[in-house]
Amino acid sequence: MRGSKLRAAGVKGIGAYLPERILTNADLEKLVETSDQWILERTGIRERRIASKDETAATLGTRAAIEAIKDAGINPTDVQCIITATITPDYFFPATACLIQDAIGATGAAAFDLLVGCTGFVYGLVIASQMVSYGAFDNVLVIGADVLSKFINWRDRHTCVLFGDGAGAAVISQIDDDYGLLGFDIGSDGSLSKLLRIEAGGSHRPASLMTVLEEAHSLTMNGSEVFKFAVRAMSDSTRRALQACGLDVEHVSLFVPHQANMRIVRAAAERLQIPIERIFTNVEKYGNTSAASIPIALAEADKLGRIKRGDIVVCTSFGGGLSWASCVLRW
Ligand code: ACO
C-alpha cells in the first residue's frame, strides 16, 4: 500500500460488444419444440445475439475492452491488470485475459481469468477495486465475455432458448473520494454445484469419444431449482451489500440485476420492494449473456442516460458455483 489512506476506486470507463447475428424466438421454433409465447412468458426474452464461427470470448472481450478504454480516456498501455470473467474461454489455458492483453496492446499487464459463471464480472469488479484502493495498480480492466452458444445443446429446449453471446468491460481506476465501490457481498454454495454445470471435459471426466457421444460437453441445468436459488440469492445479497455501506433499498437510484430471466428479476425486486421503474433490463434483446450481462446492461444504461453522476447503482448476480455477488457503486 502506497499511503495510509485507501483510495476510492470505481468505474472510469465502460463498454460493450454484441455479435451482429440475431436469433429470434421464431428462429428457435424451427430448431426445437417451443413457441415465442412460451419463451416470452417464462423468460421475457424475444431475441439473442449469436457469435459467428470466428468470434470467441477473446474476440468479443477485446471489442468491449477497446470501448471501455476509449470511454475511460486512457491508452491500452495504461492498463496494468486484466481480469476476464468467462466460463467459455478460448482455451482451458492460456487464460482468455492473456489473449486480450495481446490483442489490445496492454504491454506487460498482469492477466488472469475468473471462472464464476454469471457472477464473474461482479467478483472481478470487487477484486479490481481492492487492487486500485490499495495502490497495487492504477487501472484494472475487468471484462465479462461469454459465448454460451458454443456450449449449448441446440436440441435441448430447456436451455437453448435462454442464452446469448456478448461481452462487456469496465476500467476500474482511482476516482473522486466517496464515489465508486461503496459496499459489496460475494459468496458461494458449492453443495449446489450440480444444478448448473458442464459435466465433461475437466479432470473429473476428461473428454473422450463417449463424452462427445453423450453430449456431456454442453451446459445442463435444473431450471426450477436455479430459479428459486436466484431469487433468494440476489435479494439477500443485495441487502447485505447495502448494509455493508450503511445504505438501504430506498437509496438505490438504479438496480442492475443479472439479465437471466424477467421472472427472476421481478421476483427478486418484489422481495426487495424495489419498484420496476428503478430496475434496468435488456434481457428481451440479448437473453442471458452470463458474465457479460451486467457490464452490457451498465454500458447500455449509461449510454441511455439512465445513470447520472452521484447515483447509487446496485449490481447483483447469481450463477454457476452456485455463486452470488452484489456491489453498491456511487456513479
Ligand atoms: N418451450 C416450450 N416448453 C418448454 C420449454 C421450451 N423452451 N422448456 C421447457 N418446457 C416445458 C417443460 O418440458 C415442462 O413441461 P413438462 O413438465 O411436461 O416436461 C414445462 O415447459 C414447464 O417447465 P419448467 O421447467 O417447470 O418451467 P419453468 O416455469 O420452471 O421455466 C425456466 C423454465 C425458464 C428454465 C426457469 O426454470 C428458469 O428461468 N430457471 C432459471 C434459469 C437460469 O436463469 N439459469 C441461469 C444460468 S446462469 C449461468 O451461470 C450460466
Side-chain angles (χ1 to χ4, degrees):
M1 196 179 145
R2 284 176 190 162
S4 55
K5 189 171 176 289
L6 289 183
R7 310 191 297 182
V11 176
K12 189 170 176 175
I14 188 137
Y17 177 75
L18 279 309
E20 274 174 26
R21 188 180 152 214
I22 295 174
L23 187 76
T24 65
N25 290 350
D27 296 329
L28 281 164
E29 285 175 359
K30 294 174 201 142
L31 291 178
V32 288
E33 202 185 321
T34 190
S35 66
D36 175 48
Q37 192 194 354
W38 192 96
I39 301 171
L40 204 52
E41 274 175 17
R42 303 282 175 129
T43 70
I45 302 166
R46 288 180 192 276
E47 57 186 45
R48 65 289 289 144
R49 302 297 180 93
I50 303 294
S52 69
K53 196 174 148 284
D54 298 332
E55 285 179 314
T56 65
T59 68
L60 300 188
T62 297
R63 299 284 293 261
I66 290 168
E67 291 301 312
I69 289 169
K70 238 191 266 168
D71 191 47
I74 61 169
N75 295 310
T77 47
D78 297 326
V79 172
Q80 295 155 319
C81 179
I82 302 171
I83 304 173
T84 302
T86 182
I87 51 167
T88 54
D90 286 37
Y91 307 100
F92 250 135
F93 78 93
T96 299
C98 292
L99 307 180
I100 297 173
Q101 175 272 326
D102 179 43
I104 64 172
T107 317
F112 62 94
D113 287 358
L114 284 183
L115 190 87
V116 211
C118 306
T119 32
F121 178 82
V122 180
Y123 262 68
L125 188 148
V126 168
I127 295 166
S129 298
Q130 309 291 317
M131 287 170 156
V132 171
S133 284
Y134 280 87
F137 297 118
D138 291 328
N139 300 300
V140 181
L141 180 62
V142 184
I143 300 159
D146 267 313
V147 278
L148 272 163
S149 67
K150 300 190 192 230
F151 297 84
I152 290 293
N153 178 347
W154 287 98
R155 282 178 297 281
D156 176 13
R157 68 177 181 170
H158 293 92
T159 52
C160 76
V161 301
L162 302 175
F163 299 98
D165 301 331
V171 174
I172 306 299
S173 309
Q174 180 175 13
I175 55 167
D176 292 346
D177 282 352
D178 302 323
Y179 285 80
L181 183 68
L182 304 181
F184 67 88
D185 172 66
I186 60 178
S188 72
D189 182 354
S191 71
L192 303 175
S193 62
K194 285 184 185 158
L195 296 181
L196 183 60
R197 67 178 182 186
I198 292 176
E199 161 72 21
S203 55
H204 170 73
R205 198 171 174 215
S208 68
L209 193 53
M210 276 314 286
T211 61
V212 172
L213 290 173
E214 287 172 21
E215 300 183 325
H217 295 276
S218 308
L219 180 144
T220 59
M221 179 181 71
N222 179 328
S224 54
E225 288 305 312
V226 172
F227 190 107
K228 282 185 252 169
F229 170 85
V231 173
R232 209 176 46 244
M234 292 213 294
S235 49
D236 292 352
S237 174
T238 294
R239 280 201 195 287
R240 286 192 295 267
L242 283 165
Q243 237 166 33
C245 52
L247 295 177
D248 214 330
V249 167
E250 71 240 23
H251 297 113
V252 180
S253 317
L254 195 68
F255 185 65
V256 183
H258 171 40
Q259 309 287 312
N261 177 324
M262 235 6 247
R263 275 164 64 221
I264 294 176
V265 170
R266 276 200 215 99
E270 215 165 276
R271 277 188 67 158
L272 285 163
Q273 294 182 301
I274 296 184
I276 208 81
E277 315 81 71
R278 279 199 272 146
I279 300 174
F280 186 82
T281 58
N282 59 12
V283 67
E284 189 184 5
K285 294 188 289 183
Y286 308 131
N288 179 348
T289 55
S290 188
S293 118
I294 286 194
I296 291 172
L298 274 178
E300 204 168 295
D302 188 42
K303 218 175 187 175
L304 292 169
R306 291 282 305 272
I307 316 178
K308 296 180 295 298
R309 183 168 161 79
D311 277 355
I312 298 292
V313 178
V314 171
C315 303
T316 183
S317 192
F318 69 93
L322 296 182
S323 59
W324 60 84
S326 302
C327 65
V328 183
L329 303 162
R330 192 190 304 278
W331 203 255

